[in-house]
């Protein structure tokens, strides 16, 4: 059974010899070869050029025996395709060229031709499928409607989501119109990724912890479910969320194939709570990959032992790998999982 | 029944007409009179001078009909008393004069005379008790051992707690020695606050979300329980934590009188889960107090309705008030609670 078969079987919650393993943001700044390439090209250039994006995607797979590649891209390609471009700035972080603040701003979004505009993503995925063949799984991803709306309404990254929540409480119909558009576009976008050859897609709900508990359903989950329904039978879906551990029993029923969960949770207990209704992915502390190899090895073994035999378990971190992660720690982590079967 | 009686009855989970209300960081930067005073004095000066600290503590009570005052102070007075001073810098945030990195660093902590060194805190509390009389509740507070250790080992605030976790995984006996010292000092410190006249103390576990789920018990809760046991029968205790919603059933049994919880939780459901074993405080979204009064009023009423009749409920935010909170929003929030009985 090769990596791809292992990954696909796990998505179906079949019994396998060991969990598949990949790492969120595995093609990222902790890799010297990534930092080297980044000196020559901007982030957007690397995302938008299929050859470069393919090369970056493959970087971690050339070093580590990972079971899956994840398409090098960004969740902000969707706002960009809708006419709200983003840019990175080392000091200010992510910023959008403009903010969505009114029904009129929403009307001006370029909702036609979004998928055509994003053809470079699918081209990258077709190149990747060729390069990976049948041996490794290929993943695609996108942000959830709520998380994309957060960037578009706030005009960039945010800690408190003040502007977004002002809209959510004060002009809910405006926010809903935006979430509706994003849900529809996401379904088309992720469907096209499936056609281009991805084995599964991951939806990142990074802005979910900004939802007050009573609004998580209406502001985010409801729209995630719409996307999942729209993709039913087309491609397996992993839902990533952090800081929402208290909503777990409900998350088992949103229709996702796998829940990707953060390090504050006790994953073996969570797996019991979820009662086999959905797979789980995670939840190693990203800080673990900044530690010496012997600590990485022992901590990885502990969680693997606890999760042994849990169907649908995918080994991963609880959040993206940190830029300061150490190569030998990553190596130890991946080797410990792949040699555990 | 005055504010203090209401607060004390609520701590005992007795039936009351309405929940008492106070706001975390209620004496803070959102108040123009606080910002004005801050131009004249440094933060540490305001904390360490009993007359100034009393004045700042009283500021929000002069504006709003709050049920409790919380002593103006900082969790870092404990590291300072142990010989690890702190300072604030508008750009770098909090930094400590040095880092605790080894058993030797720990040996050099000034563990004798900590309570004497902190006499200014108790003096402030005696002044406040005089000023408040029997009409309002007075609260004291401290950081948990884990949270204080985080500042001392990281040498300031931290996002990922890399250095702290390196110690926790790599040299657990060193971290335990530090947590042991902090637990003992905290018991003495909070006992002395009770003698000075506080009606309850709140333990802030701001660094708890840095704990991987499997280590939350050993790194933080175990030491919180030691502090609670050491104070049993002396003063009611509120335990504040955020981002650890999935650990709730366990939190009901740590011995705290009240759990102060964050906005990602659905408080009415949580109250059911806790089954009356412990009171709950919270959990309005701090961002709510940046909204127009009509939104504040309607959202406050919704949660109050849902929590009606839940014994041991204290209305508060799910985290500290934001510097950009609006005075009319705070006013509306407090008025809505106090007029609900």
């Amino acid at each position: 059974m090769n990596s791809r078969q292992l990954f696909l079987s796990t998505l179906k919650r079949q019994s396998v010899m060991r969990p598949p393993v990949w790492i969120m943001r595995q093609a990222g700044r902790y890799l010297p070869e990534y930092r080297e390439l980044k000196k020559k090209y901007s982030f957007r250039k690397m995302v938008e050029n299929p050859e470069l994006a393919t090369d970056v995607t493959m970087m971690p797979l050339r070093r580590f025996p990972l079971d899956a590649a994840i398409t090098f891209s960004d969740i902000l390609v969707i706002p960009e395709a809708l006419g709200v471009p983003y840019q990175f700035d080392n000091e200010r972080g992510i910023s959008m060229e403009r903010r969505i603040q009114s029904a009129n701003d929403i009307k001006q979004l370029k909702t036609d031709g979004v998928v055509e505009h994003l053809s470079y993503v699918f081209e990258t995925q077709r190149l990747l499928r060729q390069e990976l063949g049948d041996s490794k799984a290929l993943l695609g991803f996108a942000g959830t409607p709520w998380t994309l709306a957060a960037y578009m309404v706030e005009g960039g990254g945010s800690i408190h989501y003040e502007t977004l929540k002002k809209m959510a409480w004060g002009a809910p119909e405006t926010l809903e119109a935006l979430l509706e558009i994003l849900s529809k576009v996401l379904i088309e976008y992720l469907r096209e990724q499936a056609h281009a050859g991805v084995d599964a897609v991951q939806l990142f709900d990074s802005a979910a912890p900004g939802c007050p508990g009573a609004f998580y359903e209406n502001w985010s989950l409801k729209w995630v479910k719409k996307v999942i329904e729209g993709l039913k039978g087309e491609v397996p879906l992993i839902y990533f969320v952090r800081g929402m551990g208290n909503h777990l029993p409900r998350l088992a029923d949103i229709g996702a194939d796998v829940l990707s969960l953060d390090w504050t949770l006790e994953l073996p207990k969570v797996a019991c709570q979820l009662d086999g209704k959905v797979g789980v992915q995670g939840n190693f502390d990203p800080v673990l990959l900044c530690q010496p190899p012997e600590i990485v090895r022992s901590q990885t073994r502990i969680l693997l032992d606890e999760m042994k035999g849990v169907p649908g378990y995918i080994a991963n971190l609880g959040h993206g790998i940190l830029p300061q992660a150490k190569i030998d720690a990553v190596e130890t982590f991946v080797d410990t999982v792949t040699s555990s079967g």
Side-chain angles (χ1 to χ4, degrees), chain A residues 13-194:
Chain A
R13 298 197 282 290
Q14 293 167 348
S15 172
V16 287
M17 292 294 287
R18 63 158 177 95
V21 58
W22 67 284
I23 296 173
M24 281 184 267
R25 233 189 282 272
Q26 64 190 17
R29 282 191 285 160
Y30 74 102
L31 289 171
E33 57 271 35
Y34 176 88
R35 295 196 299 268
E36 206 51 45
L37 199 70
K38 186 80 183 49
K39 287 179 191 164
K40 284 169 71 182
Y41 304 103
S42 72
F43 180 81
R44 275 194 57 181
K45 175 78 183 168
M46 295 197 296
V47 163
E48 292 171 11
N49 178 299
E51 284 75 26
L52 286 175
T54 301
D55 182 38
V56 176
T57 302
M58 292 304 295
M59 283 177 178
L61 283 94
R62 292 184 199 118
R63 278 187 180 263
F64 316 112
L66 293 153
D67 294 306
I70 179 153
T71 316
F72 184 72
S73 185
D74 197 273
I75 64 169
L76 299 179
V77 298
I78 294 260
E80 194 275 333
L82 285 165
V84 185
Y86 65 101
Q87 56 179 27
F88 281 95
D89 180 310
N90 279 341
E91 274 160 40
R92 291 179 52 227
I94 298 163
S95 64
M96 315 299 290
E97 218 163 79
R98 55 198 179 84
R99 284 186 177 186
I100 299 299
Q101 298 189 292
S102 64
N104 199 40
D105 291 344
I106 293 172
K107 265 188 216 128
Q108 284 170 28
L109 292 174
K110 297 180 199 158
T111 50
D112 287 336
V114 169
V115 164
E116 292 72 13
H117 185 97
L118 293 170
S119 61
Y120 61 86
V121 175
F122 319 124
E123 178 56 21
T124 302
Q125 292 173 331
R126 278 186 289 268
L127 290 176
L128 281 166
R129 186 80 277 166
Q130 271 176 13
E131 183 143 354
L132 295 167
D134 275 342
S135 67
K136 301 277 182 183
L138 175 61
L139 308 179
F141 71 94
T144 62
W146 168 252
T147 294
L148 294 176
Y151 282 98
M152 294 170 81
V153 175
E154 294 285 342
S158 176
I159 298 174
H160 300 297
Y161 306 106
E162 260 181 84
T163 316
L164 177 67
K165 289 183 190 178
K166 188 177 178 185
M167 185 186 281
W169 278 315
E173 66 295 341
T174 308
L175 180 65
E176 287 200 4
L178 179 58
L179 293 169
E180 183 80 49
I181 288 172
L182 288 167
S183 309
K184 281 186 188 158
V185 167
L186 280 166
I187 293 168
E188 289 180 62
Y189 176 57
L190 294 171
R191 180 179 290 148
E192 205 56 35
Q193 293 197 21

